Amino acid sequence: MESIDIKEPAILIRLNKTFEPKMDRNVLFDYTRGRWKVKTERAKKAKYGIAVYKGIIQEVYEIEKWHKAGTTESSRKPNDRPDLNSTKSLEGRYEFTGKLASEEIRKKYNQKSVKHYFVKGNANPINYVNV
């Protein structure tokens, strides 16, 4: 798998607990964009939210704006994963609104390895790059 260095301001978001290879595009977007404990000042500087599964980029989204978790429309339902979707679990978390990144950016990054950005033993699903 080809390794790539991210050049743009981005947030790598590991979806190791929720990703499924045949996941619906909208569901993948909702799980990528939302309900994370982020440092809002750093997160606001990121242009892209990047879905990562087992160190491989699955999709790239252009971030438009950050919101408190649970305040934007989402396909995620509270009973899908109560540990991730309950009102209590949303406290202190954020989600972004946005859209698929340009075809040029997606072709550049999709299915490339970013394993080198994650230190072994680091359980944090969020990794800031160039912000």
Side-chain angles (χ1 to χ4, degrees):
M1 184 67 55
E2 182 185 350
S3 186
I4 193 161
D5 288 324
I6 307 292
K7 302 296 183 199
E8 296 80 9
I11 295 181
L12 301 178
I13 302 169
R14 287 194 286 193
L15 302 176
N16 292 347
K17 292 181 181 177
T18 54
F19 180 79
E20 295 172 17
K22 302 271 187 241
M23 210 174 202
D24 176 85
R25 287 177 70 145
N26 293 327
V27 174
L28 176 59
F29 176 59
D30 278 337
Y31 274 93
T32 302
R33 73 182 191 86
R35 306 180 180 180
W36 301 107
K37 287 190 177 185
V38 295
K39 294 180 174 91
T40 53
E41 288 311 306
R42 286 186 85 185
K44 287 177 184 176
K45 294 176 185 172
K47 182 173 183 180
Y48 297 105
I50 301 177
V52 177
Y53 177 66
K54 293 190 174 178
I56 308 302
I57 295 174
Q58 302 300 316
E59 193 54 89
V60 183
Y61 303 98
E62 190 171 328
I63 297 170
E64 291 171 354
K65 188 175 180 187
W66 285 92
H67 310 267
K68 286 188 180 234
T71 61
T72 66
E73 194 168 319
S74 174
S75 64
R76 293 170 71 165
K77 305 287 184 263
N79 56 354
D80 288 348
R81 288 279 311 264
D83 56 319
L84 300 174
N85 299 316
S86 70
T87 304
K88 177 86 175 135
S89 72
L90 299 179
E91 290 175 15
R93 294 177 181 268
Y94 293 85
E95 60 196 19
F96 66 85
T97 48
K99 61 186 177 189
L100 275 175
S102 69
E103 195 61 33
E104 177 187 359
I105 289 290
R106 293 174 67 226
K107 280 183 179 175
K108 179 179 177 180
Y109 290 119
N110 277 349
Q111 298 306 307
K112 302 287 190 323
S113 173
V114 287
K115 290 179 182 175
H116 57 288
Y117 283 100
F118 296 95
V119 178
K120 190 171 177 71
N122 179 356
N124 190 345
I126 301 294
N127 195 332
Y128 304 91
V129 181
N130 303 318
V131 294

